[in-house]
Amino acid sequence: MYLISELATKAGISRTTLLYYEKQGLIKGHRLDNGYRHYSESDLQRLFLIKQLQSAGLTLKECQSCLEAKLDKSILSERLTQLTEDIQKKTQARELLLGLLGERSQRELHSSLSKSAPNVHLNWLNTQGYDEKEALRLKWLSKDMNEHNAYMNDFMTIFTPLEQWAPGSKQDTLNAISLMPNQQMRRILEIGSGKGGSTVLLVNNTKAHITAVDNEPVAIEQLNQKIKDSQLVDRISPVCASMTALPFEAKSFDAIWAESCVYIMGMENALQQWKPLLKDDGILVVSDLVWLTDMPDENVKQFWLSNYPDIQTIPTRLKLFQAQGYDVIDHFSLGLNAWENYWLPLKARVEALQPTMPTSQALLDVEQEIGIYETSVAKDFTYHYFIVKPSK
């Protein structure tokens, strides 16, 4: 026989809980002549069984049913399903904590946040000590704070010797230039100039002075060299700056030119932030990744939703321009040759580096992207030029 305090100690359950159990009829104490309530060995063993059943996720009421009748397997199946879901959540939580501690990859975390909370994601990266440039690189490229530096070293090893860092062709750039209605432009702001392939075409096919902006020092350095070699010092002003914080006054430019780079800040943000920089009757030429079909290949769809969640169809983009106060002058898509100009030299570069960088995540990512180009570009997706102007 056990006093309630003795029963509580042996069962590892509080006195208050035992009194509640007794009120529910799970145990039955007997009051002796001395006024104290005593409990039997059977009560203690029932408590052990109840604890075991509760550890499986059963409620107290369900435990009581199990004690008084045959097991209800439907209830047990429900609890098993719930427990399996709980285990999965706990496992994910454990992996997340290990990632934040530097013991696991964080790629899934950053990919998820880029889609679900892009602005908060960037702000959080800033609080972790990354400046805007590095935060954007981490968001779009490495996706792992623990491996970021090594990833970016490999990434620049791949791309630095290449002339073209994005899809495009001389013909497409010239076509976009010809669709700009104001041929008397004096100042053009080129955002994401890279090494200056389009910069030189803008100089040679307009009368404007080009302010070429890129946030990659390597690109600006090579553009400076190209300017010297082409004797275009008076026509081009390279600026190393972020497209999200452009250091220019309002109404400074007759046109803004942005090829293959708007994904960095998102089309809607770009349309809002860049418009004040345009003069009255200014022109914006921007190219963006778009779907060419409402039903792309599933693998291609998942790849771009992971790497560029804001990818849209052309009609959706046209509606966005209207909603943001722009009139569309013209628009057209890049053809296959513009992509081949980019990915074929990139593929050759990757193949040359494979013997010395076989485990590089950056190299593996570029290989995967090239595979997507080879199977679906210009069929499921492409870059699309939009020539627009602010509505009056």
Side-chain angles (χ1 to χ4, degrees), residues 2-20:
Y2 304 101
L3 294 172
I4 191 168
S5 57
E6 294 172 331
L7 184 66
T9 299
K10 283 187 171 292
I13 299 173
S14 72
R15 183 178 184 278
T16 302
T17 300
L18 288 180
L19 291 173
Y20 177 73

Side-chain angles (χ1 to χ4, degrees), residues 54-277:
Q54 285 182 313
S55 71
L58 273 66
T59 66
L60 190 60
K61 185 177 181 180
E62 291 166 348
C63 290
Q64 189 168 15
S65 297
C66 289
L67 290 171
E68 297 173 355
K70 189 175 181 180
L71 290 172
D72 186 335
K73 291 191 176 180
S74 64
I75 291 177
L76 298 180
S77 294
E78 290 177 9
R79 293 295 167 265
L80 180 59
T81 299
Q82 183 61 52
L83 181 61
T84 301
E85 292 175 357
D86 290 343
I87 290 172
Q88 290 175 343
K89 290 177 181 178
K90 294 292 186 183
T91 299
Q92 290 172 354
R94 181 177 183 275
E95 291 300 307
L96 174 57
L97 289 172
L98 287 170
L100 293 173
L101 287 169
E103 298 178 25
R104 290 286 192 279
S105 171
Q106 301 170 336
R107 290 172 70 83
E108 184 176 343
L109 166 66
H110 292 288
S111 294
S112 174
L113 288 175
S114 290
K115 290 185 285 186
S116 61
N119 294 333
V120 172
H121 183 209
L122 280 178
N123 291 337
W124 179 61
L125 291 175
N126 291 151
T127 66
Q128 304 309 306
Y130 294 92
D131 61 26
E132 182 184 54
K133 174 183 173 181
E134 287 302 308
L136 288 169
R137 282 177 159 182
L138 196 152
K139 174 183 176 181
W140 293 115
L141 297 175
S142 73
K143 297 185 175 70
D144 192 336
M145 289 188 291
N146 303 322
E147 304 293 335
H148 180 68
N149 290 338
Y151 187 100
M152 288 312 306
N153 286 338
D154 287 353
F155 185 85
M156 295 309 297
T157 297
I158 297 167
F159 278 90
T160 296
L162 299 175
E163 180 62 28
Q164 198 156 322
W165 287 9
S169 71
K170 179 178 179 180
Q171 179 182 353
D172 288 313
T173 299
L174 291 174
N175 186 27
I177 292 172
S178 72
L179 294 173
M180 293 193 296
N182 184 359
Q183 299 303 316
Q184 303 304 314
M185 295 178 184
R186 291 293 176 261
R187 294 192 68 195
I188 295 176
L189 172 62
E190 183 186 10
I191 299 173
S193 60
K195 296 183 177 181
S198 294
T199 315
V200 174
L201 289 175
L202 284 167
V203 166
N204 291 334
N205 291 275
T206 71
K207 297 179 180 180
H209 182 93
I210 313 300
T211 301
V213 174
D214 202 282
N215 70 348
E216 179 50 61
V218 171
I220 293 296
E221 180 182 343
Q222 296 193 18
L223 175 56
N224 272 316
Q225 187 59 51
K226 184 173 294 187
I227 292 169
K228 292 178 182 178
D229 293 343
S230 304
Q231 298 182 339
L232 295 172
V233 176
D234 295 335
R235 297 285 310 279
I236 303 173
S237 297
V239 177
C240 191
S242 167
M243 68 173 64
T244 64
L246 294 168
F248 308 113
E249 295 181 0
K251 296 190 176 183
S252 294
F253 299 98
D254 299 294
I256 294 176
W257 184 279
E259 290 182 277
S260 309
C261 64
V262 73
Y263 70 91
I264 292 173
M265 62 186 299
M267 180 66 83
E268 186 170 348
N269 286 337
L271 294 177
Q272 293 172 358
Q273 293 186 34
W274 297 349
K275 184 190 286 187
L277 299 176

Side-chain angles (χ1 to χ4, degrees), residues 304-322:
W304 284 120
L305 288 180
S306 174
N307 288 279
Y308 184 31
D310 192 37
I311 183 173
Q312 302 289 343
T313 61
I314 296 170
T316 301
R317 277 291 179 249
L318 294 175
K319 290 179 182 178
L320 177 63
F321 286 115
Q322 183 179 16

Side-chain angles (χ1 to χ4, degrees), residues 159 162-173 334-348 373 377:
F159 278 90
L162 299 175
E163 180 62 28
Q164 198 156 322
W165 287 9
S169 71
K170 179 178 179 180
Q171 179 182 353
D172 288 313
T173 299
L334 287 184
L336 182 61
N337 69 307
W339 286 88
E340 290 178 337
N341 291 342
Y342 167 60
W343 103 58
L344 292 180
L346 179 59
K347 183 176 181 179
Y373 297 155
V377 74

